[in-house]
Amino acid sequence: MKLVRKPLVMAATAALLLAAGSAQAQKGETVKIAWIDPLSGLMAPVGQNQVKTFQFLAEHFNKSNPAGVKFEIIPIDNKLSPAESLNALKAAIDQGARFITQGNGSSVALALVDAVNKHNERNPGKEVIYLNHAAVDPDLTNSKCSYWHFRFDADTSMKMEALTTFMKDQADVKKVYLINQNYSHGHQVSKFAKEIMARKRPDVQFVGDDLHPLAQVKDFAPYVAKIKASGADTVITGNWGSDLTLLIKAANDAGLNVKFYTYYASVSGAPTAIGAAGAGRVYMVAYGHSNMPGAFGKLSDEFKAKFNDDLYTQDVYNELLAVSEAMAKAKSTDPVKVAAAMEGLKFKGFNGEVEIRKADHQMQQGLFISVWQKTDAKNKYSVENTGYTFAPVKAYDAYVASTPTSCQMKRP
Amino acid sequence: MLSSGLTLIFSMMGVLNFAHASFYMVGAYAAYTLTGVIGFTASLVVSPLLVGALGALFERTALRRVHKFGHVPELLITFGLSYVVGEVVALVWGRSPLTFDPPLWLQGPAFTIVQSAVRGLSVVAGAAPAELCSGVGDACTRFPMTRAFMALVALGMLASLWLLLTRTRIGLVIQAALTHPEMAEALGHNVPRVFMLVFGSGCALAGLAGVIGGVTFVTEPNMANIGPIIFAVIVIGGMGSLSGAFVGSLVVGLLQTLPLTVDANGVDVFRHLGLAIGPDSPLFPLLRIKLSETAQILPYLMLVLILIFRPKGLLGTRES
């Protein structure tokens, strides 16, 4: 028996195991969450806003959360590059983070999922959980799904289901132009738009389908000229950050009179670019809108008062709450136990009842279609202090937007 | 615009300035800061002068020392400078884009092209009245004021440079100092100072381009990444030729934008020739790419072709 040589270690281990077994062992523990997203380059404003969002909501939950843990956010800049993100992941693990979160760019997300899988396979006992708050490529919960990955945003196909359900009743949608970023997410938006539209409104024509480099284009004038020439009345775009801001800016400069159906019109910079010229012409599909009622609405106002910025990455609330709920359920902060507890977890999020689907770890939640309009008595929140807001026009229950999954998950 | 400044420095001094785009960026940031203090119109003048002074200072303190060692050290020192400037800008102004909006007189459309089913094409100054654009078959395309201003300034810059170099005494001295420095010195001209002034002016032109580029596009630390495209312009247009820089910038501009409007790909070309290409044909992954998606690399392809077939560029004067 070699083990007898180390009675101290044995005793300590036993003590730890006993402690983990006792009730509410996780209370008061610090949970480090490494935030890996861009803080430099064209997408920096998005990253900077989201760091603030995470820190603000972590502070909010540190006052009280179901598990009684303390969240600590460690921001690491990945420059929107998959290669940099892998270094960031190593740095995060070295700093003792067992939870990582990322969202900007499915290109990065796919690289991270792969790295997390490998790390967890090679380092049993040091597992890491990947909390995805915004990377919406459906592959992440289908062909490339992972037990360690949890997505709190609705994926491209779910958003497109909701968006097209709304668009099919809009008589003025006849000619649609697709413009997207040339990477996995943009490809998926274009693919699902064509597929689902053909099913719901076969009479709708697609008059253009453009892909442009991600976070590189500074001048969208040629693309806008092309949209104009195509005679489109509607543009569907999954663009975000600078790629949406500059696109809308160029469209307004050229006086392009089309309706925009977007995924991310509320993200930093875009609302200001849309301005008064886009009133009633820009729609957004998302898990929320600018004027969420109740406690979350108050949080948004607090955020605005503190940072003079918008809290648009609203699912961070659900993400932190889910982690805390799962920790309370597992009575532990150990990622292995937390992952098991998160599967099939149902709780009340900021946008109603939500569920983390066990089959693929995709959050099932209701979706909203909102439109850009002047603030009024019902919709008071002024986005980026423009005097305009995203007012909800339609809410869809979780089952409407739910899409099937082909995930063959390998469970440890 | 940028190219004219670079071609001035390169053709006149034989210095390949890698940091040229950095001076462009500094121009935009300086104007951003100054606009809050003295207003945009004044900073349109002050920023380029400031950038020019910085450029002259750099020439006086660093470039002059390595000038005698030849082209490679010059290239390396400007290359190093471009990194230093990039990091300093990020430190001072942060890494995120700034909201740098044009002043009121540069906002709104310069003119509107009205396509009408009845009246055909017409151009209206400013924004067209709504009734012109609302009819059936009518379409209006606005041309933003910032772009019109940019085009005007660029043309003005090229014209004044050309006049300065070929029609004035200063221009003659500059040309003489650059081609026959010893002779010019013997005739009593201060050649190092001429070099400093030329480099400074080239940087000032970059700064001016930066001010206008900053309000039209985005003011952020990656602005300086346009370096490669300027070199493409210079090489395609021809080294040491102002008219070449003009032609080169037109060619590159057209190469970057025109293909965007063509959605055809290799498969369509073969279809026209009567050959069907399917997903399993060889080369399909290459042929599937649309012309509009390749627009970004066409200028560089052109650059390579020019270097192979006509190394001195379209209107170039130098063989080396």
Side-chain angles (χ1 to χ4, degrees):
Chain A
M1 288 292 281
K2 277 185 182 171
L3 285 175
V4 184
R5 284 189 211 161
K6 299 182 180 175
L8 260 178
V9 178
M10 285 292 287
T13 319
L16 272 177
L17 285 172
L18 277 172
S22 68
Q24 294 297 310
Q26 81 289 347
K27 250 200 172 42
E29 277 185 43
T30 300
V31 175
K32 288 184 180 172
I33 299 181
W35 176 100
I36 301 174
D37 262 325
L39 282 172
S40 53
L42 274 176
M43 294 304 183
V46 181
Q48 281 159 345
N49 171 293
Q50 287 171 342
V51 164
K52 282 186 267 188
T53 302
F54 267 94
Q55 286 168 335
F56 174 81
L57 288 173
E59 213 172 294
H60 165 76
F61 279 117
N62 285 351
K63 285 179 207 140
S64 93
N65 65 63
V69 293
K70 291 269 177 280
F71 289 112
E72 184 193 328
I73 309 294
I74 307 170
I76 305 175
D77 180 13
N78 72 351
K79 305 184 180 73
L80 196 60
S81 133
E84 290 273 354
S85 303
L86 299 187
N87 294 337
L89 175 66
K90 286 199 183 71
I93 293 168
D94 289 343
Q95 291 181 47
R98 306 284 299 276
F99 295 85
I100 60 160
T101 189
Q102 179 274 344
N104 298 309
S106 295
S107 42
V108 172
L110 289 161
L112 273 180
V113 161
D114 199 40
V116 166
N117 285 345
K118 284 192 181 120
H119 168 87
N120 290 354
E121 226 167 90
R122 292 168 190 168
N123 302 285
K126 290 208 184 95
E127 286 84 354
V128 170
I129 287 187
Y130 170 23
L131 308 162
N132 170 355
H133 63 80
V136 292
D137 183 344
D139 282 356
L140 288 161
T141 47
N142 286 293
S143 61
K144 300 216 166 50
C145 70
S146 156
Y147 177 75
W148 305 106
H149 161 268
F150 295 86
R151 173 156 50 207
F152 298 90
D153 198 346
D155 79 15
T156 305
S157 61
M158 294 163 75
K159 287 184 177 175
M160 196 51 85
E161 275 293 347
L163 198 59
T164 46
T165 305
F166 176 77
M167 287 170 77
K168 76 175 192 326
D169 304 329
Q170 305 295 313
D172 59 356
V173 176
K174 294 188 186 76
K175 291 182 171 175
V176 177
Y177 199 101
L178 296 163
I179 179 160
N180 287 292
Q181 296 148 320
N182 198 352
Y183 79 113
S184 51
H185 159 65
H187 294 197
Q188 300 276 19
V189 171
S190 153
K191 182 181 125 207
F192 281 105
K194 283 181 283 202
E195 267 178 27
I196 303 176
M197 224 28 164
R199 201 172 68 222
K200 291 179 179 168
R201 275 278 301 274
D203 61 305
V204 166
Q205 278 182 299
F206 283 95
V207 290
D209 182 1
D210 259 339
L211 295 164
H212 62 79
L214 167 69
Q216 300 284 324
V217 182
K218 297 193 172 78
D219 183 8
F220 276 92
Y223 292 98
V224 169
K226 209 171 152 181
I227 295 171
K228 189 144 197 144
S230 73
D233 50 50
T234 305
V235 172
I236 298 181
T237 176
N239 282 17
W240 52 279
S242 65
D243 286 333
L244 183 63
T245 308
L246 298 176
L247 171 67
I248 291 184
K249 205 170 163 180
N252 284 345
D253 279 349
L256 178 70
N257 188 13
V258 297
K259 283 199 165 143
F260 279 93
Y261 286 87
T262 69
Y263 276 47
Y264 298 115
S266 63
V267 171
S268 294
T272 306
I274 298 168
R281 291 201 291 116
V282 178
Y283 291 86
M284 178 176 73
V285 60
Y287 42 61
H289 51 80
S290 320
N291 302 279
M292 299 304 284
F296 192 79
K298 283 197 189 67
L299 274 179
S300 304
D301 295 339
E302 266 177 54
F303 189 82
K304 177 77 135 200
K306 193 168 173 181
F307 300 110
N308 193 22
D309 206 344
D310 301 325
L311 200 166
Y312 54 75
T313 319
Q314 300 161 318
D315 65 341
V316 174
Y317 182 93
N318 286 356
E319 179 179 315
L320 294 176
L321 189 56
V323 170
S324 178
E325 291 271 6
M327 283 176 178
K329 195 166 128 191
K331 296 192 176 62
S332 159
T333 57
D334 176 32
V336 180
K337 292 186 178 131
V338 174
M342 277 222 269
E343 290 204 302
L345 187 72
K346 288 192 176 91
F347 61 98
K348 195 165 173 9
F350 77 95
N351 50 353
E353 285 297 327
V354 295
E355 180 196 346
I356 300 176
R357 187 158 67 182
K358 190 172 172 167
D360 59 352
H361 296 188
Q362 166 67 53
M363 169 92 78
Q364 301 297 307
Q365 56 192 346
L367 291 177
F368 298 88
I369 310 285
S370 52
V371 67
W372 182 248
Q373 61 163 66
K374 257 198 158 53
T375 50
D376 55 23
K378 226 173 95 196
N379 303 293
K380 285 197 192 69
Y381 189 91
S382 164
V383 180
E384 291 192 358
N385 307 321
T386 50
Y388 288 80
T389 189
F390 285 101
V393 282
K394 199 109 188 162
Y396 291 108
D397 284 334
Y399 73 87
V400 178
S402 184
T403 48
T405 177
S406 61
C407 171
Q408 308 275 331
M409 197 174 283
K410 284 206 308 230
R411 288 184 164 73
Chain B
M1 283 178 81
L2 275 169
S3 319
S4 57
L6 188 64
T7 205
L8 175 77
I9 293 179
F10 182 71
S11 59
M12 300 299 146
M13 296 179 61
V15 175
L16 252 183
N17 183 8
F18 237 101
H20 197 73
S22 306
F23 286 110
Y24 162 76
M25 178 170 72
V26 172
Y29 274 96
Y32 170 78
T33 307
L34 288 172
T35 299
V37 186
I38 55 175
F40 180 80
T41 319
S43 63
L44 194 61
V45 180
V46 177
S47 298
L49 291 176
L50 204 71
V51 176
L54 283 175
L57 183 76
F58 173 70
E59 200 281 335
R60 177 79 190 77
T61 50
L63 204 56
R64 193 171 295 185
R65 289 164 191 272
V66 296
H67 191 72
K68 54 180 172 289
F69 299 120
H71 280 322
V72 174
E74 277 174 351
L75 189 102
L76 287 175
I77 200 163
T78 56
F79 191 67
L81 178 75
S82 69
Y83 274 94
V84 172
V85 170
E87 289 305 317
V88 167
V89 163
L91 277 175
V92 176
W93 284 281
R95 287 192 178 275
S96 57
L98 301 169
T99 40
F100 186 10
D101 287 325
L104 276 176
W105 58 272
L106 273 182
Q107 281 173 9
F111 58 88
T112 309
I113 301 168
V114 183
Q115 285 165 288
S116 155
V118 189
R119 291 177 303 274
L121 269 181
S122 58
V123 176
V124 182
E131 64 269 15
L132 277 181
C133 308
S134 54
V136 179
D138 293 354
C140 287
T141 305
R142 291 187 210 150
F143 193 83
M145 190 68 98
T146 42
R147 280 166 205 278
F149 182 66
M150 189 191 283
L152 277 178
V153 171
L155 285 175
M157 209 153 91
L158 277 167
S160 52
L161 257 185
W162 182 76
L163 287 174
L164 176 89
L165 283 175
T166 55
R167 297 279 183 277
T168 65
R169 182 175 287 272
I170 300 173
L172 289 176
V173 171
I174 289 174
Q175 290 197 52
L178 298 171
T179 47
H180 305 88
E182 291 86 1
M183 193 65 204
E185 259 186 324
L187 289 171
H189 296 291
N190 184 344
V191 170
R193 184 183 297 165
V194 170
F195 274 155
M196 189 171 89
L197 284 176
V198 170
F199 193 85
S201 323
C203 292
L205 292 181
L208 178 61
V211 180
I212 298 167
V215 289
T216 312
F217 306 124
V218 211
T219 307
E220 52 103 30
N222 289 340
M223 274 173 88
N225 294 354
I226 48 169
I229 205 85
I230 317 177
F231 279 98
V233 169
I234 299 276
V235 172
I236 291 170
M239 308 273 187
S241 148
L242 274 176
S243 47
F246 178 67
V247 171
S249 58
L250 284 182
V251 169
V252 167
L254 290 175
L255 269 181
Q256 275 181 307
T257 49
L258 274 184
L260 287 177
T261 58
V262 182
D263 273 335
N265 58 16
V267 178
D268 301 334
V269 174
F270 279 96
R271 192 174 301 133
H272 274 290
L273 298 174
L275 295 166
I277 299 270
D280 36 3
S281 319
L283 290 182
F284 179 74
L286 266 181
L287 291 173
R288 203 190 52 203
I289 301 171
K290 287 185 202 164
L291 187 60
S292 57
E293 290 168 25
T294 59
Q296 302 281 338
I297 57 164
L298 287 178
Y300 302 108
L301 196 66
M302 180 89 180
L303 170 86
V304 173
L305 292 177
I306 286 274
L307 285 174
I308 294 172
F309 295 110
R310 196 183 158 83
K312 63 179 183 182
L314 294 174
L315 300 174
T317 47
R318 292 168 180 248
E319 277 298 346
S320 55

